[in-house]
Amino acid sequence: MNAIMIVELKKHLQDKGLAFWMLILPILFTVLFISVFTTGDNEVVNQEIIQSIVPGYIVMFVFFIMISMVQVFIKDRNRGMTARLASTPLKSYYYLLGKWLPFTFIVIIQIVVLFLFGKVVYDVSLGQPIILLILSLFITFTVTAIGLAMALTVNTENMGIALTQIIALGGAMLSGLWMPLEMMPDFMQTIAHFLPQYWAHQSFQDAMAGTTQVPELLQTLVVLFAIGAAAFIIAIIRYPYFLKRAVK
């Protein structure tokens, strides 16, 4: 498992396309939207907008890791790598962990870099850094678990890309990442409570402001873990079917 994990991590870190999706694009979007929505002279209002946009786009763009996860698993399946590994004594869950864990490291790096960018460029508050780190670990687990389930379920890369767009962009819109949730219709506010983006964004903002309440934090962590665990269980269930489609 360690060998698979190290090889995959090195490969992903050298992937310029992945760097674009995970770092360059979110930074460009953050800069663009902050410049659009902070054109007024009221510094207090501008800083509140920035405090919402920075974590909002972090949450939105971590979901794009699912595209790379789908591509990696489907390429392994179609090139015969999955079948060859399945024929060895290597246990299936070691293969899954070896493929999955590098993506968790990448997402953690992404979140840290984007928060540091927000701090250095826009002087966003990082009031409770330990809580921010805990939330980052939980949203990372949730996102990559969903990505793993999707990678073992979809038949083609294009289907995975399309579903990722729906989950990332649709979830961002419904969760209040693009505009304050209070400005959205009541039914959309209700839907938001079933989405991991909403919980992560709200808790990130509270932690940045230093106003996190323990019950609310625990509720967020439970929701994120439950969604991630459900996705991981789906991935385990789907793995035998994934193997059956593998090229030998």
Side-chain angles (χ1 to χ4, degrees):
M1 183 188 77
N2 290 336
I4 295 175
M5 184 173 64
I6 293 171
V7 170
E8 289 295 321
L9 184 59
K10 288 181 178 179
K11 182 173 65 176
H12 298 325
L13 291 176
Q14 295 171 357
D15 185 350
K16 294 180 180 179
L18 186 60
F20 174 78
W21 279 104
M22 305 306 292
L23 295 175
I24 298 174
L25 192 61
I27 287 174
L28 290 176
F29 265 73
T30 300
V31 172
L32 174 63
F33 277 80
I34 286 177
S35 64
V36 169
F37 289 103
T38 58
T39 54
D41 295 328
N42 192 322
E43 290 297 327
V44 175
V45 173
N46 287 345
Q47 195 60 32
E48 289 178 357
I49 293 172
I50 292 171
Q51 289 283 122
S52 176
I53 288 178
V54 170
Y57 279 96
I58 290 174
V59 172
M60 184 177 79
F61 276 98
V62 295
F63 279 83
F64 283 93
I65 193 67
M66 296 190 294
I67 292 177
S68 295
M69 296 184 73
V70 169
Q71 290 174 335
V72 165
F73 277 92
I74 288 183
K75 284 179 180 177
D76 273 8
R77 185 194 70 189
N78 293 343
R79 292 174 179 174
M81 180 62 71
T82 301
R84 287 197 294 272
L85 288 172
S87 65
T88 68
L90 182 70
K91 294 182 179 179
S92 59
Y93 59 84
Y94 284 157
Y95 166 73
L96 291 178
L97 288 175
K99 288 286 187 179
W100 172 52
L101 287 176
F103 288 110
T104 66
F105 296 144
I106 290 169
V107 174
I108 289 294
I109 293 171
Q110 177 193 18
I111 294 173
V112 170
V113 169
L114 294 179
F115 266 122
L116 289 176
F117 171 80
K119 179 64 177 177
V120 172
V121 177
Y122 296 107
D123 194 29
V124 297
S125 173
L126 303 178
Q128 296 171 309
I130 301 301
I131 293 178
L132 286 173
L133 178 59
I134 293 171
L135 287 167
S136 298
L137 293 173
F138 272 76
I139 190 61
T140 296
F141 168 70
T142 303
V143 170
T144 53
I146 295 172
L148 184 64
M150 184 187 300
L152 299 180
T153 301
V154 300
N155 292 320
T156 65
E157 289 185 26
N158 287 337
M159 186 183 298
I161 292 172
L163 287 175
T164 298
Q165 301 286 358
I166 293 171
I167 293 172
L169 300 180
M173 179 184 69
L174 294 171
S175 300
L177 306 189
W178 292 353
M179 66 178 68
L181 198 64
E182 296 77 14
M183 297 174 61
M184 298 166 60
D186 291 342
F187 79 93
M188 294 179 69
Q189 294 185 38
T190 301
I191 294 173
H193 287 78
F194 294 92
L195 301 174
Q197 291 99 321
Y198 164 80
W199 294 97
H201 186 221
Q202 296 297 317
S203 292
F204 270 144
Q205 289 186 94
D206 290 342
M208 291 170 68
T211 59
T212 299
Q213 300 296 318
V214 173
E216 294 175 355
L217 174 63
L218 292 177
Q219 185 179 22
T220 296
L221 297 182
V222 168
V223 170
L224 293 177
F225 182 79
I227 294 172
F232 201 79
I233 291 171
I234 292 172
I236 298 298
I237 294 172
R238 290 297 306 174
Y239 185 64
Y241 300 94
F242 178 78
L243 279 179
K244 289 180 180 179
R245 300 198 304 268
V247 175
K248 298 181 179 179

